[in-house]
Amino acid sequence: MSFVDTATVMVASGDGGDGAVSFRHEKFVDKGGPDGGDGGRGGNVVFVASRNQNTLANFRFQRELKAEHGQAGSKRRRHGKNGEDLLVPVPVGTSVLNEEGQLMADLAADGQQVIIAKGGDGGFGNAHFVSSVRQAPRVAEKGEKGESFTAKLELKMIADVGLVGEPNAGKSTLLSVVSNATPEIANYPFTTLKPSLGVAPVGEAHLLFADIPGLIEGAAEGKGLGDEFLRHVERTSVLMHLVDAYQPDVAETYKTIQQELAAYKIDLSGKPQIVVLTKIDGLDQDIVDDLLKQLKAVVPEGTPVMAISSQAHLGIKELLFTTKKVVDIERQKHQAEAEAAAEKGETLGEVPILTLRDTDNAWKVVKENGRFVVTGRKIEKFAARTDFDNEDGVRRLRDIMKKMGIMHGLVREGINPGDTIVIGKSGQLEY
């Protein structure tokens, strides 16, 4: 299956079921009481991170993700069946963005579940509205609509080590030598057109390597698809920066890639690195030493600088053990940060779903084109569940508006009898 690291899908949670208007009809009972049941809740769309998934390719053929609607309530106070949640497996490392490009969820751990679209609540049946002053209510609520929007999925590979460097720097060859991966290898630029993963044994431990396609000058702005590939570098703990020993100026080659890492939307140049001079087989030792000296002159102090030949297996063992030490240090740092966050009651790396909503009871009245437009989360939700063709339902909505102070607000804005009130997108009524 080909590697796909972005996808666009339509997400729709289930609508809530309508509440029922019903009265008991029993033998020898003249006037049975109301017994209309509530509607069922609509199903949620839930994304589940799974290590069994490694690509977003399935979403090429599944563009719509729809959860089940809740069923309507019925007589004898029967509650409508809740809609089934739609569980959508995605690869670990998948980010979900809304239509504005804002991050909604970041599925970074195997088994992590996030509700991407919440199902609508079911409407109350008329049995719910019985009171001492209202013995036979003929009002029931409509089910709440589910959420529906277009979402963009981005897969960022999660690896211990990200291999970066110019095209043909030897990344794929190194990955094939140290791991079980079999990337395409050839002697021309841009051999690798998709990121590859490989597991490298180091003593009794293992390191997960990601081969990121070659970067060139301008990659951060998209040249050579570089900005797409840099996405995967974001999640790696350590970068292994490979520099071809046959480049005319190894120091300048190193600096070019560093500039691209820094120019990306998230500065990646500060990530821990190991700088590796590649393809040293066939070179005299004094030439190798001189090239290493040139690199060390421009590499930050404390960054390991090593020389290898993947073809001849020179320096590979030393490189792997050095890499493990650097990765272990980063893991320890991350663990310490996670423990510190836990002490504060936080979860490191947890990204909440965006909810751009007003406080429940807040509302606003604006006069537009001779009509009075009322907005606010709570009142819009009531309006969405109101059957505007049912006089009892409209009367209940008016009572709610009065209790919330909205009617008084309309008077302050200069409303007159016969003027139109519009509530969100749900409906309208006369004052």
Side-chain angles (χ1 to χ4, degrees):
M1 184 178 290
S2 61
F3 184 91
V4 175
D5 61 359
T6 62
T8 301
V9 293
M10 173 59 73
V11 178
S13 58
D15 297 342
D18 294 341
V21 175
S22 173
F23 295 89
R24 288 165 50 202
H25 295 286
E26 298 177 21
K27 211 171 183 182
F28 309 117
V29 177
D30 230 2
K31 295 181 179 179
D35 67 350
D38 299 342
R41 176 188 60 80
N44 302 319
V45 177
V46 183
F47 280 22
V48 184
S50 170
R51 291 206 176 276
N52 295 326
Q53 305 289 317
N54 55 19
T55 173
L56 298 175
N58 289 340
F59 297 102
R60 284 178 173 176
F61 314 104
Q62 189 181 5
R63 296 283 187 175
E64 293 186 344
L65 306 174
K66 291 185 177 181
E68 193 175 64
H69 297 317
Q71 294 183 3
S74 58
K75 60 185 180 181
R76 297 181 182 174
R77 294 179 182 261
R78 288 177 180 164
H79 193 288
K81 182 182 176 184
N82 291 333
E84 291 286 338
D85 289 347
L86 177 65
L87 302 181
V88 184
V90 295
V92 174
T94 298
S95 297
V96 185
L97 294 86
N98 64 13
E99 291 167 303
E100 289 74 42
Q102 296 166 314
L103 184 65
M104 298 183 67
D106 192 13
L107 293 113
D110 188 36
Q112 180 183 357
Q113 296 190 13
V114 176
I115 297 175
I116 300 300
K118 191 174 184 301
D121 291 332
F124 290 135
N126 68 334
H128 184 89
F129 299 108
V130 176
S131 68
S132 58
V133 296
R134 186 165 50 187
Q135 296 293 318
R138 295 183 174 277
V139 57
E141 289 183 330
K142 295 166 66 178
E144 184 182 20
K145 293 292 183 184
E147 298 177 324
S148 178
F149 56 91
T150 299
K152 182 178 181 182
L153 312 183
E154 291 186 350
L155 174 58
K156 301 172 185 177
M157 301 171 76
I158 299 177
D160 299 310
V161 184
L163 302 177
V164 298
E166 289 196 333
N168 214 22
K171 299 182 296 298
S172 298
T173 303
L174 175 62
L175 185 67
S176 68
V177 168
V178 302
S179 75
N180 55 357
T182 55
E184 183 182 352
I185 300 170
N187 189 29
Y188 53 84
F190 295 110
T191 301
T192 304
L193 295 178
K194 59 184 180 181
S196 301
L197 286 177
V199 178
V202 186
E204 296 181 358
H206 293 83
L207 294 177
L208 184 60
F209 280 73
D211 172 18
I212 311 301
L215 303 179
I216 59 175
E217 188 172 357
E221 286 74 46
K223 190 173 181 182
L225 297 180
D227 61 332
E228 296 295 314
F229 299 142
L230 280 167
R231 172 185 303 123
H232 301 287
V233 179
E234 288 182 37
R235 293 182 182 273
T236 54
S237 299
V238 175
L239 298 183
M240 185 175 289
H241 187 158
L242 274 57
V243 180
D244 187 343
Y246 290 89
Q247 287 290 333
D249 189 330
V250 292
E252 282 301 314
T253 299
Y254 166 81
K255 288 193 285 187
T256 296
I257 300 303
Q258 287 298 105
Q259 288 167 2
E260 295 308 318
L261 293 172
Y264 185 56
K265 61 184 178 182
I266 300 172
D267 186 350
L268 303 172
S269 63
K271 274 185 174 286
Q273 292 190 27
I274 300 165
V275 179
V276 183
L277 184 69
T278 64
K279 306 179 184 179
I280 63 168
D281 50 305
L283 295 178
D284 293 337
Q285 188 60 44
D286 58 342
I287 295 176
V288 173
D289 291 342
D290 180 62
L291 293 173
L292 289 174
K293 184 178 179 180
Q294 293 178 41
L295 283 172
K296 289 177 181 178
V298 294
V299 167
E301 187 176 352
T303 299
V305 180
M306 308 182 72
I308 67 163
S309 167
S310 298
Q311 293 282 10
H313 289 226
L314 295 175
I316 299 297
K317 184 177 180 181
E318 294 81 358
L319 174 63
L320 288 176
F321 278 96
T322 298
T323 303
K324 184 178 182 303
K325 288 179 183 178
V326 178
V327 170
D328 286 344
I329 291 171
E330 287 307 302
R331 286 175 176 170
Q332 290 167 8
K333 285 182 183 178
H334 183 81
Q335 181 64 28
E337 291 171 356
E339 291 174 357
E343 289 179 2
K344 298 177 183 178
E346 302 171 353
T347 303
L348 189 65
E350 186 176 84
V351 181
I353 293 179
L354 291 176
T355 53
L356 306 177
R357 297 171 175 168
D358 300 326
T359 56
D360 277 356
N361 293 314
W363 52 265
K364 184 178 179 181
V365 174
V366 177
K367 188 174 182 180
E368 294 179 355
N369 301 322
R371 304 189 306 173
F372 293 81
V373 180
V374 179
T375 55
R377 171 168 160 70
K378 187 173 183 178
I379 189 60
E380 287 186 47
K381 187 169 183 175
F382 276 122
R385 295 166 70 165
T386 297
D387 181 357
F388 284 86
D389 295 326
N390 182 304
E391 289 185 13
D392 291 319
V394 174
R395 191 177 302 116
R396 173 175 176 264
L397 180 62
R398 290 181 185 275
D399 290 342
I400 291 168
M401 292 171 67
K402 186 175 180 179
K403 288 178 182 178
M404 292 179 67
I406 296 173
M407 287 302 190
H408 184 61
L410 288 165
V411 171
R412 285 203 311 263
E413 291 296 323
I415 197 167
N416 295 306
D419 285 346
T420 300
I421 303 170
V422 179
I423 305 176
K425 300 177 181 178
S426 303
Q428 60 185 44
L429 61 157
E430 284 190 1
Y431 180 66

